[in-house]
Amino acid sequence: DKTGQIFINDAQIKMEDLREQIQKRTAKMKNPDAVFLRADQKLEYGIIMQTMDQIKRAGVPTVGLVTEPPRETTTKKKKK
């Protein structure tokens, strides 16, 4: 999230536990060779890179980044 907390699905994980948690969870996945990472756009780049590094060190060869489309504003500009 934007404060740097890490979640796997809805479970909060500490950075120091991330590698072990990834290893446990990927062993049960249909495709253990890929993990998708979603991060808040305001999060520091270094935290994202550190997280990706831990995922790679857990033995996952592919780390994908998930993006969300920009939200449309609900206010419309008035025509003159």
Coordinates of all heavy atoms in Angstrom, one line a residue:
D1 N 0.8 -1.2 0.0 CA 0.0 0.0 0.0 C 0.9 1.2 0.0 O 2.1 1.1 0.0 CB -1.0 -0.1 1.2 CG -0.4 0.2 2.5 OD1 0.8 0.3 2.6 OD2 -1.1 0.2 3.5
K2 N 0.3 2.4 0.1 CA 1.0 3.7 -0.1 C 2.0 3.9 1.1 O 2.9 4.7 1.0 CB 0.1 4.9 -0.3 CG -0.8 5.1 0.8 CD -1.8 6.3 0.5 CE -2.8 6.5 1.5 NZ -3.8 7.5 1.1
T3 N 1.8 3.2 2.2 CA 2.7 3.4 3.3 C 3.8 2.4 3.3 O 4.7 2.4 4.2 CB 1.9 3.2 4.7 OG1 1.4 1.9 4.8 CG2 0.8 4.3 4.8
G4 N 3.8 1.5 2.3 CA 4.9 0.5 2.2 C 4.6 -0.8 2.8 O 5.5 -1.7 2.8
Q5 N 3.4 -1.0 3.3 CA 3.0 -2.3 3.9 C 2.8 -3.3 2.7 O 2.3 -3.0 1.6 CB 1.8 -2.2 4.7 CG 2.0 -1.4 5.9 CD 0.7 -1.3 6.8 OE1 -0.2 -2.0 6.6 NE2 0.7 -0.3 7.6
I6 N 3.2 -4.6 2.9 CA 3.1 -5.6 1.9 C 2.0 -6.6 2.3 O 1.8 -7.0 3.4 CB 4.4 -6.4 1.8 CG1 5.6 -5.4 1.4 CG2 4.3 -7.5 0.8 CD1 6.9 -6.0 1.6
F7 N 1.2 -6.9 1.2 CA 0.1 -7.9 1.4 C 0.2 -8.9 0.4 O 0.5 -8.7 -0.8 CB -1.3 -7.2 1.3 CG -1.5 -6.2 2.3 CD1 -1.1 -4.9 2.3 CD2 -2.3 -6.6 3.5 CE1 -1.4 -4.0 3.3 CE2 -2.6 -5.6 4.5 CZ -2.1 -4.3 4.4
I8 N -0.1 -10.2 0.7 CA -0.3 -11.2 -0.2 C -1.8 -11.6 -0.1 O -2.2 -12.0 1.0 CB 0.6 -12.5 0.1 CG1 2.0 -12.1 0.0 CG2 0.2 -13.6 -0.9 CD1 3.0 -13.3 0.4
N9 N -2.5 -11.3 -1.1 CA -4.0 -11.3 -1.1 C -4.4 -10.3 0.0 O -4.0 -9.1 -0.1 CB -4.5 -12.7 -1.0 CG -4.2 -13.5 -2.2 OD1 -4.1 -13.0 -3.3 ND2 -3.9 -14.8 -1.9
D10 N -5.0 -10.7 1.1 CA -5.4 -9.8 2.1 C -4.5 -9.9 3.4 O -4.8 -9.3 4.4 CB -6.9 -10.0 2.5 CG -7.8 -9.6 1.4 OD1 -7.5 -8.7 0.7 OD2 -8.9 -10.2 1.3
A11 N -3.5 -10.8 3.3 CA -2.7 -11.0 4.5 C -1.5 -10.1 4.5 O -0.7 -10.1 3.5 CB -2.2 -12.5 4.5
Q12 N -1.3 -9.3 5.6 CA -0.2 -8.4 5.7 C 1.1 -9.2 6.0 O 1.1 -10.1 6.8 CB -0.4 -7.4 6.8 CG 0.7 -6.4 6.8 CD 0.4 -5.2 7.8 OE1 -0.7 -5.2 8.4 NE2 1.4 -4.4 8.0
I13 N 2.2 -8.9 5.3 CA 3.4 -9.7 5.4 C 4.6 -8.7 5.7 O 4.6 -7.6 5.0 CB 3.8 -10.5 4.1 CG1 2.6 -11.4 3.7 CG2 5.1 -11.2 4.2 CD1 2.3 -12.5 4.6
K14 N 5.5 -9.0 6.6 CA 6.6 -8.1 6.8 C 7.7 -8.4 5.7 O 7.8 -9.6 5.2 CB 7.3 -8.4 8.2 CG 6.4 -8.1 9.3 CD 7.1 -8.4 10.6 CE 6.2 -8.1 11.8 NZ 6.8 -8.4 13.1
M15 N 8.4 -7.4 5.3 CA 9.4 -7.6 4.3 C 10.4 -8.7 4.6 O 10.7 -9.5 3.7 CB 10.2 -6.3 4.1 CG 11.3 -6.4 3.0 SD 10.6 -6.6 1.3 CE 10.1 -5.0 0.9
E16 N 10.8 -8.8 5.9 CA 11.7 -9.9 6.2 C 11.1 -11.3 6.1 O 11.8 -12.3 6.1 CB 12.3 -9.7 7.6 CG 11.3 -9.5 8.7 CD 10.9 -8.1 9.1 OE1 11.1 -7.2 8.2 OE2 10.4 -7.9 10.2
D17 N 9.8 -11.4 6.1 CA 9.1 -12.7 5.9 C 8.7 -13.0 4.5 O 8.1 -14.1 4.2 CB 7.9 -12.8 6.9 CG 8.3 -12.7 8.3 OD1 9.4 -13.0 8.7 OD2 7.4 -12.2 9.1
L18 N 8.8 -12.0 3.6 CA 8.3 -12.1 2.3 C 8.8 -13.3 1.5 O 8.0 -14.1 0.9 CB 8.5 -10.8 1.5 CG 7.9 -10.8 0.1 CD1 6.4 -10.9 0.2 CD2 8.3 -9.5 -0.6
R19 N 10.1 -13.5 1.5 CA 10.7 -14.6 0.7 C 10.1 -15.9 1.2 O 9.7 -16.7 0.3 CB 12.2 -14.6 0.9 CG 12.9 -15.6 -0.1 CD 14.4 -15.7 0.1 NE 15.0 -14.5 0.3 CZ 16.3 -14.3 0.5 NH1 17.1 -15.4 0.5 NH2 16.9 -13.2 0.7
E20 N 10.1 -16.2 2.5 CA 9.6 -17.5 3.0 C 8.1 -17.6 2.6 O 7.7 -18.7 2.2 CB 9.7 -17.5 4.5 CG 9.2 -18.8 5.1 CD 9.3 -18.7 6.7 OE1 10.1 -17.9 7.2 OE2 8.6 -19.6 7.3
Q21 N 7.3 -16.6 2.8 CA 5.9 -16.6 2.4 C 5.7 -16.9 1.0 O 4.8 -17.7 0.6 CB 5.2 -15.4 2.9 CG 5.1 -15.2 4.4 CD 4.2 -16.3 5.0 OE1 3.1 -16.6 4.4 NE2 4.6 -16.8 6.1
I22 N 6.5 -16.3 0.1 CA 6.3 -16.5 -1.3 C 6.7 -18.0 -1.6 O 6.0 -18.6 -2.4 CB 7.3 -15.5 -2.1 CG1 6.8 -14.1 -2.0 CG2 7.4 -16.0 -3.6 CD1 5.5 -13.8 -2.7
Q23 N 7.7 -18.5 -1.0 CA 8.1 -19.9 -1.3 C 7.0 -20.8 -0.9 O 6.7 -21.8 -1.6 CB 9.4 -20.2 -0.6 CG 10.6 -19.6 -1.2 CD 11.9 -19.7 -0.3 OE1 11.8 -19.8 0.9 NE2 13.0 -19.6 -1.0
K24 N 6.4 -20.6 0.3 CA 5.3 -21.5 0.7 C 4.1 -21.4 -0.2 O 3.5 -22.4 -0.5 CB 4.9 -21.0 2.1 CG 5.8 -21.4 3.2 CD 5.2 -21.0 4.6 CE 6.2 -21.3 5.7 NZ 5.7 -20.8 7.0
R25 N 3.8 -20.2 -0.6 CA 2.5 -20.0 -1.4 C 2.7 -20.5 -2.9 O 1.8 -21.0 -3.5 CB 2.1 -18.6 -1.3 CG 1.6 -18.2 0.1 CD 1.5 -16.7 0.3 NE 1.2 -16.4 1.7 CZ 0.0 -16.1 2.2 NH1 -1.1 -16.1 1.4 NH2 -0.1 -15.9 3.4
T26 N 3.9 -20.2 -3.4 CA 4.1 -20.6 -4.8 C 4.1 -22.1 -5.0 O 3.8 -22.7 -6.0 CB 5.3 -20.0 -5.5 OG1 6.5 -20.3 -4.6 CG2 5.2 -18.5 -5.6
A27 N 4.5 -22.8 -3.9 CA 4.5 -24.3 -4.0 C 3.1 -24.9 -4.2 O 2.9 -26.0 -4.8 CB 5.1 -24.9 -2.7
K28 N 2.1 -24.1 -3.8 CA 0.7 -24.5 -4.0 C 0.0 -24.0 -5.2 O -1.2 -24.3 -5.5 CB -0.1 -24.1 -2.7 CG 0.4 -24.7 -1.4 CD -0.3 -24.1 -0.3 CE 0.3 -24.5 1.0 NZ -0.3 -23.9 2.2
M29 N 0.7 -23.1 -6.0 CA 0.1 -22.5 -7.1 C 0.1 -23.3 -8.4 O 1.1 -24.1 -8.5 CB 0.8 -21.1 -7.4 CG 0.5 -20.1 -6.3 SD 1.5 -18.6 -6.4 CE 1.4 -18.1 -8.1
K30 N -0.8 -23.1 -9.3 CA -0.8 -23.8 -10.6 C 0.4 -23.4 -11.4 O 1.0 -24.2 -12.1 CB -2.1 -23.5 -11.4 CG -3.3 -24.1 -10.8 CD -4.5 -23.8 -11.7 CE -5.7 -24.4 -11.2 NZ -6.9 -24.1 -12.0
N31 N 0.8 -22.1 -11.4 CA 1.9 -21.6 -12.1 C 2.9 -20.9 -11.1 O 2.8 -19.7 -10.8 CB 1.5 -20.6 -13.1 CG 2.7 -20.0 -13.9 OD1 3.8 -20.5 -13.8 ND2 2.5 -19.1 -14.8
P32 N 3.8 -21.7 -10.5 CA 4.7 -21.1 -9.5 C 5.8 -20.3 -10.1 O 6.6 -19.8 -9.3 CB 5.2 -22.4 -8.8 CG 5.2 -23.5 -9.8 CD 4.0 -23.1 -10.6
D33 N 5.8 -20.2 -11.4 CA 6.9 -19.4 -12.0 C 6.6 -18.0 -12.3 O 7.4 -17.3 -12.9 CB 7.3 -20.1 -13.4 CG 7.8 -21.5 -13.2 OD1 8.5 -21.8 -12.2 OD2 7.6 -22.3 -14.1
A34 N 5.5 -17.5 -11.8 CA 5.1 -16.1 -12.0 C 4.3 -15.6 -10.8 O 3.4 -16.2 -10.3 CB 4.3 -16.0 -13.3
V35 N 4.7 -14.4 -10.4 CA 4.0 -13.6 -9.4 C 3.7 -12.2 -9.9 O 4.5 -11.7 -10.6 CB 4.8 -13.5 -8.1 CG1 4.2 -12.5 -7.1 CG2 5.0 -14.9 -7.4
F36 N 2.5 -11.7 -9.6 CA 2.1 -10.4 -10.1 C 2.1 -9.4 -8.9 O 1.5 -9.7 -7.9 CB 0.8 -10.4 -10.8 CG 0.9 -11.3 -12.1 CD1 0.6 -12.6 -12.1 CD2 1.3 -10.7 -13.2 CE1 0.7 -13.4 -13.2 CE2 1.4 -11.4 -14.4 CZ 1.1 -12.8 -14.4
L37 N 2.7 -8.3 -9.1 CA 2.9 -7.3 -8.0 C 2.1 -6.1 -8.4 O 2.2 -5.6 -9.5 CB 4.4 -7.0 -7.9 CG 4.8 -5.9 -7.0 CD1 4.5 -6.3 -5.5 CD2 6.3 -5.6 -7.1
R38 N 1.3 -5.6 -7.4 CA 0.6 -4.4 -7.6 C 1.0 -3.5 -6.5 O 1.0 -3.8 -5.3 CB -0.9 -4.6 -7.5 CG -1.8 -3.4 -7.7 CD -3.3 -3.6 -7.8 NE -3.7 -4.4 -6.6 CZ -4.6 -5.4 -6.6 NH1 -5.1 -5.8 -7.8 NH2 -4.9 -6.0 -5.5
A39 N 1.4 -2.2 -6.8 CA 1.8 -1.3 -5.9 C 1.1 0.1 -6.0 O 0.7 0.4 -7.1 CB 3.3 -1.1 -6.0
D40 N 0.9 0.8 -4.9 CA 0.3 2.1 -5.0 C 1.3 3.0 -5.8 O 2.5 2.9 -5.6 CB 0.2 2.6 -3.5 CG -0.6 3.9 -3.5 OD1 0.0 5.0 -3.7 OD2 -1.8 3.8 -3.2
Q41 N 0.7 3.9 -6.6 CA 1.5 4.7 -7.5 C 2.3 5.7 -6.7 O 3.3 6.2 -7.2 CB 0.7 5.4 -8.5 CG -0.2 6.5 -7.9 CD -1.1 7.2 -9.0 OE1 -1.8 6.5 -9.7 NE2 -1.0 8.5 -9.1
K42 N 2.0 6.0 -5.4 CA 2.7 6.9 -4.6 C 3.9 6.3 -3.8 O 4.6 6.9 -3.1 CB 1.8 7.6 -3.7 CG 0.8 8.5 -4.4 CD -0.1 9.2 -3.5 CE -1.1 10.0 -4.4 NZ -2.2 10.6 -3.6
L43 N 4.0 4.9 -3.9 CA 5.0 4.2 -3.2 C 6.4 4.5 -3.8 O 6.6 4.6 -5.0 CB 4.7 2.7 -3.3 CG 5.6 1.8 -2.4 CD1 5.4 2.1 -0.9 CD2 5.2 0.4 -2.7
E44 N 7.4 4.6 -2.9 CA 8.8 4.8 -3.4 C 9.2 3.7 -4.3 O 9.0 2.5 -4.0 CB 9.7 5.0 -2.2 CG 9.5 6.2 -1.4 CD 10.5 6.3 -0.3 OE1 11.6 5.8 -0.4 OE2 10.2 6.9 0.8
Y45 N 9.9 4.0 -5.3 CA 10.5 3.1 -6.3 C 11.4 2.0 -5.6 O 11.3 0.8 -5.9 CB 11.2 3.8 -7.4 CG 11.8 3.0 -8.4 CD1 11.0 2.4 -9.4 CD2 13.2 2.7 -8.5 CE1 11.5 1.6 -10.4 CE2 13.7 1.9 -9.5 CZ 12.9 1.4 -10.5 OH 13.4 0.6 -11.5
G46 N 12.2 2.5 -4.6 CA 13.1 1.6 -4.0 C 12.4 0.4 -3.2 O 12.9 -0.7 -3.2
I47 N 11.2 0.7 -2.7 CA 10.4 -0.3 -2.0 C 9.9 -1.4 -3.0 O 9.9 -2.6 -2.7 CB 9.3 0.3 -1.1 CG1 9.9 1.1 0.0 CG2 8.4 -0.8 -0.6 CD1 8.9 1.9 0.8
I48 N 9.5 -0.9 -4.1 CA 9.0 -1.8 -5.2 C 10.2 -2.7 -5.6 O 10.0 -3.9 -5.7 CB 8.4 -1.0 -6.4 CG1 7.2 -0.2 -5.9 CG2 8.1 -1.9 -7.5 CD1 6.7 0.8 -6.9
M49 N 11.3 -2.1 -5.8 CA 12.5 -2.9 -6.3 C 12.9 -3.9 -5.2 O 13.3 -5.0 -5.5 CB 13.6 -2.0 -6.7 CG 13.4 -1.1 -7.9 SD 12.8 -2.1 -9.3 CE 14.2 -3.1 -9.6
Q50 N 12.9 -3.5 -3.9 CA 13.2 -4.4 -2.9 C 12.2 -5.6 -2.8 O 12.6 -6.7 -2.6 CB 13.2 -3.6 -1.5 CG 13.7 -4.4 -0.3 CD 13.6 -3.6 0.9 OE1 13.2 -2.5 1.0 NE2 14.1 -4.2 2.0
T51 N 11.0 -5.3 -3.0 CA 9.9 -6.3 -3.0 C 10.2 -7.3 -4.2 O 10.1 -8.5 -4.0 CB 8.5 -5.7 -3.1 OG1 8.4 -4.8 -2.0 CG2 7.5 -6.8 -3.0
M52 N 10.4 -6.7 -5.3 CA 10.7 -7.6 -6.5 C 11.9 -8.5 -6.3 O 11.9 -9.6 -6.7 CB 10.8 -6.7 -7.8 CG 9.6 -6.1 -8.2 SD 9.8 -5.0 -9.6 CE 10.1 -6.2 -10.9
D53 N 12.9 -7.9 -5.7 CA 14.2 -8.7 -5.4 C 13.9 -9.9 -4.5 O 14.3 -11.0 -4.7 CB 15.2 -7.7 -4.8 CG 16.5 -8.5 -4.5 OD1 17.1 -9.0 -5.4 OD2 16.9 -8.5 -3.3
Q54 N 13.1 -9.6 -3.4 CA 12.7 -10.7 -2.5 C 11.9 -11.8 -3.2 O 12.1 -13.0 -2.9 CB 11.9 -10.2 -1.3 CG 12.8 -9.4 -0.4 CD 13.9 -10.2 0.2 OE1 13.8 -11.3 0.7 NE2 15.1 -9.6 0.1
I55 N 11.0 -11.4 -4.1 CA 10.2 -12.4 -4.9 C 11.2 -13.2 -5.8 O 11.1 -14.5 -5.8 CB 9.1 -11.7 -5.7 CG1 8.1 -11.0 -4.8 CG2 8.5 -12.7 -6.6 CD1 7.1 -10.1 -5.5
K56 N 12.1 -12.6 -6.4 CA 13.1 -13.3 -7.3 C 13.9 -14.2 -6.4 O 14.2 -15.4 -6.8 CB 14.0 -12.3 -8.0 CG 13.3 -11.5 -9.1 CD 13.1 -12.4 -10.3 CE 13.0 -11.6 -11.5 NZ 13.0 -12.4 -12.7
R57 N 14.4 -13.8 -5.3 CA 15.2 -14.6 -4.4 C 14.5 -15.8 -3.8 O 15.1 -16.8 -3.4 CB 15.8 -13.8 -3.2 CG 16.9 -12.8 -3.7 CD 17.3 -11.9 -2.5 NE 18.2 -10.9 -3.0 CZ 19.5 -11.0 -2.7 NH1 20.0 -12.0 -2.0 NH2 20.3 -10.0 -3.2
A58 N 13.1 -15.7 -3.8 CA 12.3 -16.8 -3.4 C 12.2 -17.9 -4.5 O 11.6 -18.9 -4.3 CB 10.9 -16.3 -3.0
G59 N 12.8 -17.6 -5.6 CA 12.8 -18.6 -6.7 C 11.8 -18.4 -7.8 O 11.6 -19.3 -8.6
V60 N 11.1 -17.3 -7.8 CA 10.1 -17.0 -8.8 C 10.8 -16.3 -10.0 O 11.3 -15.2 -9.8 CB 9.0 -16.1 -8.3 CG1 8.0 -15.8 -9.4 CG2 8.3 -16.8 -7.1
P61 N 10.9 -16.9 -11.2 CA 11.6 -16.3 -12.3 C 10.9 -15.1 -12.9 O 11.6 -14.3 -13.5 CB 11.8 -17.5 -13.3 CG 10.7 -18.4 -13.0 CD 10.4 -18.3 -11.5
T62 N 9.6 -15.0 -12.8 CA 8.9 -14.0 -13.5 C 8.1 -13.2 -12.5 O 7.2 -13.7 -11.8 CB 7.9 -14.5 -14.6 OG1 8.7 -15.3 -15.5 CG2 7.2 -13.4 -15.3
V63 N 8.3 -11.9 -12.5 CA 7.6 -10.9 -11.6 C 6.9 -9.9 -12.5 O 7.6 -9.2 -13.2 CB 8.4 -10.2 -10.6 CG1 7.6 -9.3 -9.7 CG2 9.2 -11.2 -9.7
G64 N 5.6 -10.0 -12.6 CA 4.9 -9.0 -13.4 C 4.3 -7.9 -12.6 O 4.1 -8.0 -11.4
L65 N 4.2 -6.7 -13.2 CA 3.6 -5.6 -12.6 C 2.2 -5.3 -13.1 O 2.0 -5.3 -14.3 CB 4.5 -4.3 -12.8 CG 5.9 -4.4 -12.3 CD1 6.7 -3.1 -12.7 CD2 5.9 -4.4 -10.7
V66 N 1.3 -5.2 -12.1 CA -0.1 -5.0 -12.5 C -0.4 -3.5 -12.4 O -0.1 -2.9 -11.4 CB -1.0 -5.8 -11.5 CG1 -2.5 -5.5 -11.8 CG2 -0.7 -7.3 -11.6
T67 N -1.1 -3.0 -13.4 CA -1.5 -1.6 -13.3 C -3.0 -1.5 -13.4 O -3.7 -2.4 -13.8 CB -0.9 -0.8 -14.5 OG1 -1.4 -1.3 -15.7 CG2 0.6 -0.8 -14.5
E68 N -3.5 -0.4 -12.9 CA -4.9 -0.1 -13.0 C -5.1 1.1 -13.9 O -4.3 2.1 -13.8 CB -5.4 0.2 -11.6 CG -5.4 -1.0 -10.6 CD -5.9 -0.7 -9.3 OE1 -6.6 0.3 -9.1 OE2 -5.7 -1.5 -8.4
P69 N -6.2 1.1 -14.7 CA -6.4 2.2 -15.5 C -6.7 3.5 -14.7 O -7.2 3.4 -13.6 CB -7.6 1.8 -16.4 CG -8.3 0.7 -15.6 CD -7.2 0.1 -14.8
P70 N -6.4 4.7 -15.2 CA -6.7 5.9 -14.5 C -8.2 6.0 -14.3 O -9.0 5.6 -15.1 CB -6.1 7.0 -15.3 CG -5.8 6.4 -16.6 CD -5.8 4.9 -16.5
R71 N -8.5 6.5 -13.1 CA -10.0 6.8 -12.8 C -10.4 8.0 -13.5 O -9.7 9.0 -13.5 CB -10.2 6.9 -11.3 CG -9.8 5.6 -10.6 CD -10.1 5.8 -9.1 NE -9.6 4.6 -8.4 CZ -9.7 4.5 -7.1 NH1 -10.3 5.4 -6.4 NH2 -9.3 3.4 -6.5
E72 N -11.7 8.0 -14.0 CA -12.2 9.2 -14.6 C -12.8 10.0 -13.5 O -13.4 9.5 -12.5 CB -13.3 8.8 -15.6 CG -12.8 8.0 -16.8 CD -13.9 7.8 -17.8 OE1 -14.9 8.6 -17.9 OE2 -13.8 6.8 -18.5
T73 N -12.7 11.3 -13.7 CA -13.3 12.2 -12.7 C -14.8 12.3 -13.0 O -15.2 12.2 -14.1 CB -12.6 13.6 -12.8 OG1 -12.8 14.1 -14.2 CG2 -11.2 13.6 -12.5
T74 N -15.5 12.5 -11.9 CA -16.9 12.6 -12.0 C -17.5 14.0 -12.3 O -18.6 14.1 -12.7 CB -17.6 12.1 -10.7 OG1 -17.1 12.9 -9.6 CG2 -17.3 10.6 -10.5
T75 N -16.6 14.9 -12.2 CA -17.0 16.3 -12.5 C -16.8 16.6 -14.0 O -15.8 16.2 -14.5 CB -16.3 17.3 -11.7 OG1 -14.9 17.2 -11.9 CG2 -16.6 17.2 -10.2
K76 N -17.8 17.2 -14.6 CA -17.7 17.5 -16.1 C -17.5 19.0 -16.2 O -18.0 19.8 -15.4 CB -18.9 17.1 -16.8 CG -19.1 15.6 -16.8 CD -20.3 15.2 -17.6 CE -20.5 13.7 -17.7 NZ -21.7 13.3 -18.4
K77 N -16.7 19.3 -17.2 CA -16.4 20.8 -17.5 C -17.7 21.3 -18.2 O -18.2 20.7 -19.0 CB -15.2 21.0 -18.3 CG -13.9 20.6 -17.6 CD -12.7 20.9 -18.5 CE -11.5 20.5 -17.8 NZ -10.3 20.8 -18.6
K78 N -18.0 22.5 -17.8 CA -19.2 23.2 -18.4 C -18.7 23.7 -19.8 O -17.7 24.3 -19.9 CB -19.7 24.3 -17.5 CG -20.3 23.8 -16.3 CD -20.9 24.9 -15.5 CE -21.6 24.4 -14.2 NZ -22.1 25.5 -13.4
K79 N -19.6 23.6 -20.8 CA -19.3 24.2 -22.1 C -19.7 25.7 -22.0 O -20.7 26.1 -21.4 CB -20.1 23.5 -23.2 CG -19.7 22.1 -23.4 CD -20.5 21.5 -24.5 CE -20.0 20.0 -24.7 NZ -20.8 19.4 -25.8
K80 N -18.9 26.5 -22.7 CA -19.2 27.9 -22.7 C -19.9 28.3 -24.0 O -19.8 27.7 -25.0 CB -17.8 28.7 -22.7 CG -17.2 28.6 -21.3 CD -16.0 29.4 -21.2 CE -15.3 29.3 -19.9 NZ -14.2 30.1 -19.7

